[in-house]
Amino acid sequence: MGPTRVFIAAPTPVERAGLKAMLADSRDLRVVGETGAFTGKPGPDIPEADVLVVTNEDVLDEVLAALDDSVIQAIVLFSEESESVRKLRESPLSGWGIVSPDSLPEELAAAVVAAGRGLVVLPHSFAEEGLSVLENSAPDYLSGGVLTPREHEVLELISLGLPNKTIARQLNISEHTVKFHISSIYAKLGAHSRAEAVSLGARTGLLKL
Amino acid sequence: MEGPGNNPLISLSEGMADVVEKMQPSVVRIEGGRRWPSSGIVYAEDLVLAANHAIEREEDLSVQTDSGRRARAEVIGRDNARDLALLKVESLAASASVDISDTPARVGSLALALGRPSEEGLRANFGIVSAVGSLPGRWRRGRRSRSRTPERYIQADIATYPGLAGGPLVSASGRVLGVVVTGFGRASVLAVPSDVAWSTAERLKESGSTKRGYLGIYSQPVRLPDAARLGFTQEGGLLVAGVGDDTPASRGGLIIGDILATVDNQPVEDTDDLLVILSGERVGKTIPIKVVRGGELRELSVTVGERE
């Protein structure tokens, strides 16, 4: 098995350059490409790559929404949000990892190689919290933490009657991702329509009126 | 044989048939979801007004016009409170748009409800305008809400059928009195008055969103304590679970723990009631809010803001 092939998805050229520099010294991996945005459209956005390195949650959402149509098997995400653990765990990836934004180049490289091999990688500080998230199943309405910040934003915009296209434009994400968030919102609230989602959201303290 | 001049029934009948014929190009059929198709009214070039609840998808809707032509459509915006939605339809002719009535509907006047429930053509039902005014809010968990809607509705005693929602309620002179949004029981319909529907459509066309009133509170339904002692007939109220900083609620003096009993003199027992009351029409209005605080009744004054 040759060096792990890495594809970088980060919104700014600076971040992409930084990541490439971090990974340059490792002989176990090779950066094969980069992109600033995930369109979510089917088709080879990505050349043959083993691991996708992603630097923020929005891009992660776009990638997960497009997972069926792409060749991605493993993702490493820079994040501090424990919600990401749930998202990655519930995805059909073969391996994945979360690294803290403060990671050293060696840590990132190790995480990428491990994820590429089908392992799950978490930083130490995350491990305790991450593991308990892995154990929890049902969302707890009363905790107020049912929806992710992004899902919250989408629900607010739905309550204004906005269609998906406008929501996508306002939040600067793809329409595909908006639909992904909406079905997650429906599932979490037990809603079957936009109006029902707004009604249930308001009643369970998720929407300020 | 008697001519129309002698028999008023003939002129009545011909008159109604003429009205329906004139309206044909302006009423469309919408296939928008898993359930029945619904009807829609041509609002302007490429724009159709529909009943919001009947449109379950955002896009890949199919609109069938009078000529039998099918066109693709998508939702531009929704007004949940009024149950209206605006659709953008590929190449719809503007000449099919309608005249709306310039006077409010009068109780007792004749009305026709038009719809396009099937591919067979326009369907017309006949009755009179039975009431105009605000109405009790929606059914909620099996109990009728006690608050009344802030909007005016037209109620007409016209038989309903699946697919009627979204069609026009038309006067004897052929002008649109309102947009039928729902049946009310089996023997009457509710329509949003055309002036309200048209200004909603214009707003949806411009911004895709509806104007929503805003207080700035998180709330949840609770039993209203001491309801009888404090003079309320309702059983429930809304507990304020959070007040945002620098919001209409905080400026009006609402605090966590307050239990809202009435807002603008409308009882609130559930967040749905508040959603109905906080419609666009109340934005900017200063309204009284009665709360139960520490077992006592307090009346506060809040200026409704706008949700952005």
Side-chain angles (χ1 to χ4, degrees):
Chain A
M1 192 171 179
T4 305
R5 295 161 302 178
V6 179
F7 193 88
I8 293 175
T12 66
V14 168
E15 282 178 277
R16 296 197 292 272
L19 277 178
K20 280 192 290 192
M22 280 176 85
L23 296 170
D25 290 335
S26 171
R27 277 173 302 156
D28 300 316
L29 52 87
R30 190 164 56 92
V31 176
V32 299
E34 62 183 81
T35 183
F38 236 73
T39 58
K41 288 205 285 271
D45 249 308
I46 309 194
E48 287 289 310
D50 301 310
V51 180
L52 179 70
V53 175
V54 174
T55 59
N56 76 28
E57 252 73 31
D58 287 336
V59 180
L60 177 69
D61 290 338
E62 301 243 355
V63 171
L64 291 175
L67 213 49
D68 287 339
D69 304 323
S70 78
V71 299
I72 307 285
Q73 293 289 317
I75 293 178
V76 170
L77 169 73
F78 278 84
S79 171
E80 288 179 306
E81 290 203 21
S82 50
E83 176 66 22
S84 308
V85 174
R86 186 193 59 81
K87 282 186 201 170
L88 286 166
R89 178 184 148 242
E90 288 171 6
S91 71
L93 295 168
S94 62
W96 54 270
I98 295 189
V99 294
S100 109
D102 307 323
S103 297
L104 298 171
E106 300 81 58
E107 289 165 0
L108 175 62
V112 166
V113 172
R117 294 255 199 287
L119 296 176
V120 168
V121 184
L122 292 171
H124 197 136
S125 56
F126 242 56
E128 275 110 40
E129 199 186 340
L131 285 176
S132 64
V133 168
L134 292 174
E135 276 157 21
N136 279 344
S137 43
D140 174 10
Y141 277 153
L142 297 180
S143 72
V146 169
L147 297 183
T148 67
R150 197 48 124 187
E151 286 166 354
H152 230 114
E153 282 179 302
V154 170
L155 184 60
E156 292 268 343
L157 294 176
I158 287 177
S159 77
L160 288 173
L162 294 177
N164 293 346
K165 203 179 278 190
T166 313
I167 295 178
R169 215 182 318 133
Q170 201 144 321
L171 297 179
N172 220 351
I173 57 183
S174 75
E175 217 178 311
H176 198 143
T177 306
V178 172
K179 293 188 208 176
F180 178 67
H181 287 311
I182 290 177
S183 41
S184 177
I185 292 169
Y186 282 7
K188 287 181 179 181
L189 297 179
H192 301 94
S193 72
R194 287 162 113 84
E196 204 183 343
V198 172
S199 175
L200 289 169
R203 196 175 298 133
T204 51
L206 297 171
L207 269 183
K208 237 195 272 180
L209 296 184
Chain B
M1 189 166 83
E2 299 180 63
N6 298 334
N7 186 339
L9 283 182
I10 294 181
S11 39
L12 172 63
S13 173
E14 294 293 303
M16 290 205 293
D18 288 342
V19 163
V20 174
E21 195 176 315
K22 198 171 139 260
M23 288 291 304
Q24 297 247 18
S26 311
V27 181
V28 300
R29 183 159 164 268
I30 304 171
E31 272 151 19
R34 302 183 298 267
R35 288 184 286 180
W36 296 96
S38 61
S39 305
I41 305 174
V42 177
Y43 169 72
E45 185 167 349
D46 293 352
L47 294 176
V48 163
L49 248 183
N52 183 41
H53 72 272
I55 312 293
E56 296 190 353
R57 285 203 302 272
E58 292 297 293
E59 55 202 9
D60 289 330
L61 305 165
S62 173
V63 166
Q64 189 197 344
T65 64
D66 180 44
S67 59
R69 193 172 66 82
R70 275 207 154 77
R72 274 225 311 262
E74 55 174 4
V75 177
I76 292 186
R78 296 171 180 272
D79 184 332
N80 287 317
R82 294 193 174 110
D83 200 10
L84 293 172
L86 191 65
L87 309 184
K88 183 158 174 64
V89 184
E90 276 173 12
S91 32
L92 200 65
S95 61
S97 58
V98 297
D99 292 323
I100 62 174
S101 173
D102 47 13
T103 52
R106 294 174 64 203
V107 173
S109 53
L110 297 182
L112 286 164
L114 303 180
R116 206 178 276 278
S118 76
E119 296 178 13
E120 300 308 311
L122 207 56
R123 174 169 170 165
N125 285 37
F126 171 71
I128 64 164
V129 173
S130 22
V132 173
S134 72
L135 284 162
R138 297 156 224 166
W139 285 100
R140 188 186 18 86
R141 288 179 282 175
R143 280 174 50 219
R144 168 137 266 157
S145 167
R146 285 167 209 262
S147 57
R148 299 191 81 84
T149 62
E151 292 89 21
R152 292 171 290 120
Y153 278 99
I154 300 171
Q155 188 180 343
D157 69 335
I158 293 181
T160 67
Y161 53 85
L164 168 63
L169 188 70
V170 182
S171 69
S173 58
R175 291 173 166 233
V176 175
L177 294 171
V179 179
V180 175
V181 289
T182 182
F184 194 57
R186 220 172 280 141
S188 60
V189 298
L190 293 182
V192 175
S194 45
D195 57 336
V196 174
W198 256 238
S199 66
T200 300
E202 198 55 33
R203 166 141 183 143
L204 289 176
K205 175 179 157 205
E206 264 155 43
S207 67
S209 72
T210 54
K211 205 172 181 187
R212 297 284 319 280
Y214 180 68
L215 294 180
I217 58 170
Y218 290 107
S219 59
Q220 64 185 78
V222 293
R223 251 185 86 247
L224 190 62
D226 304 314
R229 177 171 68 79
L230 296 171
F232 293 111
T233 49
Q234 69 206 69
E235 285 174 9
L238 271 185
L239 171 67
V240 178
V243 179
D245 291 328
D246 198 31
T247 56
S250 66
R251 290 190 283 270
L254 276 169
I255 59 176
I256 293 183
D258 281 344
I259 300 179
L260 306 185
T262 66
V263 174
D264 206 7
N265 300 313
Q266 301 286 329
V268 286
E269 295 188 84
D270 189 279
T271 43
D272 279 344
D273 292 338
L274 195 55
L275 276 170
V276 168
I277 291 171
L278 291 179
S279 71
E281 308 207 328
R282 284 197 164 87
V283 170
K285 221 178 140 201
T286 301
I287 58 176
I289 297 187
K290 287 201 177 116
V291 306
V292 178
R293 183 183 290 177
E296 309 221 319
L297 185 60
R298 301 273 304 259
E299 183 163 323
L300 304 169
S301 204
V302 175
T303 305
V304 178
E306 186 173 351
R307 186 194 204 87
E308 309 281 350

